[in-house]
């Protein structure tokens, strides 16, 4: 069974940093592109960032480019998102998601974690 | 690419047919998916590449369209279908989602 478990969310002050993690199991983690999608309270879905299976390619939404960094450690089956220079508008539930098919950097997410809440407030 | 979903809210009764629309600001060919999200849950992939049902999705869900205009149809609404639906394109980076259509019980 595919499982994705996010961690690392919490309350942080504006300008602060957090690192989110997503542990994957039940699939060959190193064969799939992964992504982060967020959802502000009461709002819709916003794609944040994606990374290829090998880490060779990374992609970012304009709203986070230069502040967030996506990475992965295939030896640990773990995806990361480093969040720097956080703003109030970054407050959201952050989901990690697995691509539907192998080695397709932009393929649709078919499995999602339950999300981790990041709150940016003073 | 901006995806615009309509209507924002759709009020229907169980057993009725639901038709949800997603329009892209430029062609996405057929690189469009639909997701369902219920309160407190992660999204669920329903349709990919405009018209292909994802694994385990009931046949009452169908997708159509290409280019800039897409439709998600639910042929006969079940009580568990009342949720928010999002479209998403992967034709161009950055990946984008529509703002969602809330399907509510009338």
């Amino acid at each position: 069974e595919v499982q994705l478990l996010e961690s690392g969310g919490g309350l942080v002050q504006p300008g602060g940093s957090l690192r989110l993690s997503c542990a994957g199991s039940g699939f060959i983690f190193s064969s799939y592109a992964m992504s982060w999608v967020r959802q502000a309270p009461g709002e819709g879905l916003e794609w944040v960032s994606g990374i290829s299976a090998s880490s060779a390619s990374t992609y970012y939404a304009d709203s986070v480019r230069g502040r967030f960094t996506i990475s992965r450690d295939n030896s640990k089956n773990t995806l990361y998102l480093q969040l720097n220079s956080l703003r109030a508008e970054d407050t959201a539930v952050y989901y990690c998601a697995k691509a539907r098919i192998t080695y397709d950097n932009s393929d649709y997410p078919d499995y999602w974690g339950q999300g981790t809440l990041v709150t940016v407030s003073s | 690419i901006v995806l615009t979903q309509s209507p924002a809210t759709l009020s229907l009764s169980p057993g009725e047919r639901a038709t949800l629309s997603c329009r892209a600001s430029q062609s996405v060919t057929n690189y469009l998916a639909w997701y369902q999200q219920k309160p407190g849950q992660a999204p669920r992939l329903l349709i990919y590449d405009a018209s292909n049902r994802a694994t385990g999705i009931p046949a009452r869900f169908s997708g159509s369209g290409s280019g800039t205009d897409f439709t998600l149809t639910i042929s006969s609404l079940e009580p568990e279908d009342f949720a928010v639906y999002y479209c998403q394109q992967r034709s161009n980076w950055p990946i984008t989602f529509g703002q969602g259509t809330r399907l509510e019980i009338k």
Side-chain angles (χ1 to χ4, degrees):
Chain A
E1 178 191 6
V2 172
Q3 291 192 346
L4 296 168
L5 184 61
E6 301 97 337
S7 60
L11 175 63
V12 61
Q13 292 187 338
S17 299
L18 276 179
R19 188 175 84 155
L20 308 183
S21 299
C22 171
S25 61
F27 64 104
I28 303 173
F29 186 83
S30 59
S31 296
Y32 291 86
M34 299 289 294
S35 57
W36 290 96
V37 177
R38 69 184 179 183
Q39 187 168 37
E43 302 295 326
L45 302 172
E46 180 187 14
W47 176 84
V48 172
S49 183
I51 187 168
S52 63
S54 67
S55 301
S57 298
T58 58
Y59 309 88
Y60 298 94
D62 291 344
S63 58
V64 307
R65 185 175 291 110
R67 300 188 299 122
F68 292 6
T69 303
I70 191 171
S71 62
R72 63 192 296 164
D73 185 338
N74 287 343
S75 69
K76 295 182 179 179
N77 291 349
T78 302
L79 174 72
Y80 303 100
L81 187 67
Q82 178 69 40
L83 291 65
N84 295 334
S85 303
L86 282 162
R87 307 166 180 167
E89 54 265 36
D90 296 318
T91 294
V93 172
Y94 285 72
Y95 295 101
C96 71
K98 162 195 164 293
R100 185 181 57 90
I101 60 176
T102 58
Y103 303 113
D104 187 329
N105 293 356
S106 67
D107 196 45
Y108 313 102
D110 65 345
Y111 283 91
W112 300 59
Q114 282 306 300
T116 186
L117 177 62
V118 172
T119 303
V120 184
S121 175
S122 55
Chain B
I1 296 176
V2 176
L3 299 179
T4 302
Q5 293 186 238
S6 61
T9 303
L10 185 59
S11 299
L12 294 170
S13 299
E16 290 192 296
R17 181 184 188 91
T19 303
L20 288 68
S21 174
C22 177
R23 176 164 289 179
S25 59
Q26 65 186 75
S27 177
V28 298
T29 59
N30 69 328
Y31 292 127
L32 190 108
W34 291 93
Y35 296 85
Q36 176 194 68
Q37 187 179 34
K38 297 179 180 179
Q41 295 185 16
R44 179 173 72 145
L45 178 65
L46 301 175
I47 301 288
Y48 66 92
D49 288 346
S51 60
N52 297 290
R53 273 190 303 276
T55 303
I57 301 304
R60 64 180 182 274
F61 292 91
S62 63
S64 63
S66 65
T68 60
D69 290 297
F70 299 86
T71 301
L72 173 69
T73 301
I74 310 172
S75 59
S76 178
L77 286 165
E78 297 287 342
E80 61 268 27
D81 298 336
F82 293 91
V84 180
Y85 292 83
Y86 296 93
C87 57
Q88 177 234 313
Q89 67 80 26
R90 73 173 188 111
S91 175
N92 285 63
W93 296 102
I95 289 170
T96 50
F97 288 89
Q99 83 281 15
T101 289
R102 180 177 304 277
L103 178 57
E104 64 177 27
I105 299 176
K106 187 173 182 179

